[in-house]
Each structure stands twice: as structure tokens, then as C-alpha cells.
Amino acid sequence: MTTQQAHSLQIRNLRKHYGAVRAVDDVSFTVKRGDFLTLLGPSGSGKTTVLMAIAGFVDPTSGDILVDDRVITGLPPEKRNFGMVFQGYALFPHLTVAGNVAFPLEVRKLARADVEARVKQALDLVQLGHLGDRLPKQLSGGQQQRVALARALVFQPELLLLDEPLSALDKKLRAELQWELKSLHQRVGMTFIYVTHDQDEALSMSDEVAIMREGKLVQSGAPGALYDRPRTRFVADFLGKSNFLPGKVEGREGSGFAYAAGGQRFVQAGHADGRQPGDAILVALRPEKVSLGHAASSTARNRLQAEIVSWSYFGTGVHFLVKAPGIGELTVTRPSWRLDVPLEAGAKVWLAWDADATIPVADD
Ligand code: ADP
Ligand code: MG
């Protein structure tokens, strides 16, 4: 299973309209051989429709789907040879685990010895080699989902399509299976297309994340690049948490430029990108990129006095809601270890951030 060749996938100007509803609205992207691409977006943004078009269950209004530069848009699903895993496990309740995994091979009329060897290999891959004789109802939710995964991998599909496969599981199990899926992906070397509305899942597993909104693909990139360089308020907000400061450009300052917000002056690193003094600007500021102390930082380019409104402790860290005159409320996240401020509503604190901690975004 590990030796098989991975395939690439290309989506070109894909549209799917249902009457006036543009479920998918001119979406294009490429998945490199062996990559793990995640379509991330809120409910109703068109993720499942894209996946179903790739699988062949949804007939696109227009556009093309290519595997290794071969157009497959008109091919029926059974000719595409793609593995699929969905939210519901949809295992056959009367078949054993091994029977479930063998099913796609029996449909394909493989020789018995071949079937046995492949089933064993697929079950070992998802660490269920010892449970082949059980019935689905004798398994936990996580184990059932792993059987579904083994069943999708066993016929060595060209691509594996996964639509929110972990969303029915509880948080801890989900995190565990995220690790397993990622390591599985590395071991089999197959191309994975994954759909989720869960940003943590997308960030932790993918080589590439494509963010969807109202049928459109709004930004894609490697998880770290998307998180650190969102182009719009929507992306900054959907992928992680962010504060937003609306301001007006003032002029160049060192290697960056200054802007005014809430009666204060701040510095943004990087080029002004054609912005002129007086132009409106919106910058995104991640809560964990702000430091918080009882005294003003002597080194940070941006400083702001604020007051603690409330806080929420979550073990490894603390989320603070603070209020600054002229600016309003901001969220700041700090590690709980060696906090430099009291957990006390009304306490005066200093916020500080570097000029490259913020990023200008389009207000969409
Ligand atoms: P997601 O998976 O991101 O939640 P979907 O792809 O399921 O989104 O749906 C995208 C949009 O298309 C939604 O507005 C949904 O109501 C609509 N839609 C999906 N399938 C159909 C259908 N068969 N008929 C009409 N509208 C549909
Ligand atoms: Mg969906």
C-alpha cells in the first residue's frame, strides 16, 4: 500500500448552481501528488458539493476536474476509483470488521487469498488488526471510523476523499484520530482531500488549506502562511481568533508606516502597498502576539494602556478581555506560567506588540 503512486488533482472553474443558489461559484485549485488538502469553511459554503463533484455524485454546472492532467468530469463515480469516508460510518452492521473491509475487494472480484492479505494490511494500517472478527456494534465510535477508513483504503484508490469524518466523535478522540490520519497519510503517500468546518483540524493535519465562503474559494495556502498572512478579515477571523484595529494611515516610519487608531499612534511593518496618508486601514492582531505586563515594555514598537475586563483560564494559558480607551475591547492570550499581571477585573495593564505582529487585511 505504501508503494503506490500518488496522483494530482486539478479543479478548474468549477460551478454548481441549484436554481438561484450558487453552491459552488467558480472554484479552481490544484492538489499536488501525495498532498493533504483541506477545504475549510462554515456550514453551507459549498465544501461537500465540491467533494461530491470530485467523487462524481454531483454533476457540475460547468468547469472541469482533472486527475494527472486527464479530464474525468464526465466519468461515473464507479469509474473514478476514489476512496470515500463520511461523517456517518455507514458500516454494514451484519458484517464483521474484516467483512466490511473486504467488501470493496469482493465487489471488484479479487481472488480470495488476495482479499485476505489486503484486508489484513488495511486493518493493520489503522491499528485494528486484532479486531477483524468483531461486529461494528462491538466497537467504539473511533474504532468504527477507523474501519471505515480501512475500507476506503483497501482497494488502493487514486485519491481519498473525506467529508467531516471525525465530527461525530468527542473532542479527545477527534484529536487522537487527527494524529492518526496525518501519520496514515504520511505512510500511504496517497493524495487526501479533506473537508471540515473545524479550523484546528484543518491547521493540524493539512499540507494546504483552501478556505471557502459562500461557494467561493477565498484564500489557500500552507497552514502557517494562512494563519500569519490572512488577506481578509473573514480569513483572519475564521482561521483562529483575531482582534481588528480600524485606523488611518499617517506616513512612513522606519521600514514600515504609522497609522492612527482610537486616538493613538501605531506602527505597522512592511510596505504601505500604495496606501496614502489619510487612507483607511484595518489591521488584524492575533491575541497571542500581544504581550501583557504591569509595566510598559521598553522595546516593543506598539504600546497601549488597558484595563482587565474579564479573563478565562484554560490550563496552559489565560484569555484576557481588556479594554483600552479609544480602542475598545481586545482579546489577549498569554501562557499561564509566570503571568506578570494579577487575575483581577479593573487591574491596569500594559499591552505591547511588535510592528510585524499586525497585518493589514481587506475589510470584507
Ligand atoms: P457545506 O458542505 O460547506 O456545508 P454544501 O456543499 O453542502 O455546503 O452546500 C452549499 C450550498 O448549496 C448550501 O446553500 C446548500 O443548501 C446548497 N445545496 C447543496 N446541495 C443542494 C441540493 N441538492 N439542492 C439545492 N441546494 C443544495
Ligand atoms: Mg458539508
Side-chain angles (χ1 to χ4, degrees), residues 9-11 14 29 39 47-60 64-67 72-86 108 155 157 159-163 193 195:
L9 175 79
Q10 228 185 98
I11 306 295
L14 187 72
F29 61 87
L39 294 170
K47 309 179 297 293
T48 294
T49 310
V50 171
L51 207 70
M52 287 297 165
I54 296 171
F57 295 113
V58 155
D59 196 17
D64 272 310
I65 300 166
L66 295 87
V67 171
I72 60 151
T73 320
L75 273 189
E78 66 276 11
K79 293 259 169 70
R80 297 191 184 195
N81 202 41
F82 298 162
M84 304 198 68
V85 186
F86 299 109
R108 288 170 174 78
F155 62 94
L159 294 177
L160 190 62
L161 309 176
L162 306 107
D163 194 350
I193 323 269
V195 160

Side-chain angles (χ1 to χ4, degrees), residues 18 21-24 41-50 163-164 195:
Y18 294 103
V21 177
R22 296 182 172 206
V24 179
S43 170
S45 56
K47 309 179 297 293
T48 294
T49 310
V50 171
D163 194 350
E164 315 233 6
V195 160

Side-chain angles (χ1 to χ4, degrees), residues 25-338:
D25 194 5
D26 198 12
V27 164
S28 301
F29 61 87
T30 300
V31 193
K32 295 201 289 281
R33 288 165 189 262
D35 255 13
F36 191 132
L37 174 119
T38 297
L39 294 170
L40 173 71
S43 170
S45 56
K47 309 179 297 293
T48 294
T49 310
V50 171
L51 207 70
M52 287 297 165
I54 296 171
F57 295 113
V58 155
D59 196 17
T61 306
S62 62
D64 272 310
I65 300 166
L66 295 87
V67 171
D68 295 341
D69 303 320
R70 157 173 61 92
V71 177
I72 60 151
T73 320
L75 273 189
E78 66 276 11
K79 293 259 169 70
R80 297 191 184 195
N81 202 41
F82 298 162
M84 304 198 68
V85 186
F86 299 109
Q87 178 178 350
Y89 326 115
L91 299 178
F92 302 113
H94 59 286
L95 291 182
T96 61
V97 164
N100 267 280
V101 177
F103 186 79
L105 301 177
E106 281 159 3
V107 171
R108 288 170 174 78
K109 306 210 184 329
L110 259 74
R112 195 177 172 76
D114 223 10
V115 171
E116 273 176 28
R118 288 227 214 158
V119 168
K120 183 180 179 315
Q121 196 184 13
L123 283 175
D124 284 345
L125 207 53
V126 297
Q127 293 158 40
L128 287 179
H130 56 302
L131 297 181
D133 296 330
R134 293 230 188 137
L135 287 170
K137 66 174 182 209
Q138 298 167 316
L139 300 179
S140 71
Q143 289 170 330
Q144 290 185 41
Q145 197 53 294
R146 273 149 54 191
V147 177
L149 203 57
R151 190 176 58 182
L153 288 167
V154 74
F155 62 94
Q156 306 188 353
E158 292 182 33
L159 294 177
L160 190 62
L161 309 176
L162 306 107
D163 194 350
E164 315 233 6
L166 308 183
S167 60
L169 307 173
D170 66 53
K171 193 175 167 194
K172 199 157 177 211
L173 196 55
R174 213 160 64 214
E176 223 173 275
L177 284 189
Q178 282 167 16
W179 281 101
E180 275 188 37
L181 258 177
K182 190 172 162 114
S183 101
L184 182 75
H185 171 252
Q186 282 158 355
R187 274 177 288 145
V188 298
M190 200 182 280
T191 308
F192 280 29
I193 323 269
Y194 194 93
V195 160
T196 185
H197 65 274
D198 180 330
Q199 43 147 319
D200 294 332
E201 211 162 280
L203 289 174
S204 67
M205 290 196 295
S206 326
D207 296 310
E208 185 98 2
V209 177
I211 300 191
M212 291 197 62
R213 181 190 196 187
E214 293 169 2
K216 292 193 162 67
L217 195 162
V218 291
Q219 192 176 348
S220 62
L226 269 185
Y227 186 82
D228 285 332
R229 291 187 293 283
R231 284 201 293 261
T232 63
R233 178 196 271 259
F234 175 82
V235 172
D237 210 24
F238 194 74
L239 206 63
K241 291 197 168 50
S242 195
N243 297 292
F244 296 96
L245 298 176
K248 284 223 184 315
V249 174
E250 291 198 331
R252 289 210 62 79
E253 167 108 16
S255 60
F257 60 95
Y259 63 97
Q264 321 248 1
R265 193 162 186 276
F266 300 107
V267 182
Q268 170 65 55
H271 292 289
D273 286 330
R275 293 182 187 89
Q276 302 297 322
D279 282 358
I281 186 172
L282 183 71
V283 306
L285 176 58
R286 298 286 188 196
E288 73 280 9
K289 293 184 181 171
V290 184
S291 71
L292 191 68
H294 69 272
S297 157
S298 54
T299 51
R301 297 300 301 274
N302 297 293
R303 273 171 274 185
L304 183 63
Q305 195 161 30
E307 184 183 306
I308 296 178
V309 175
S310 61
W311 69 90
S312 126
Y313 175 77
F314 59 93
T316 54
V318 183
H319 296 304
F320 289 93
L321 184 65
V322 301
K323 197 168 69 185
I327 301 285
E329 289 183 340
L330 297 170
T331 309
V332 178
T333 302
R334 301 308 308 165
S336 52
W337 180 239
R338 297 205 167 117

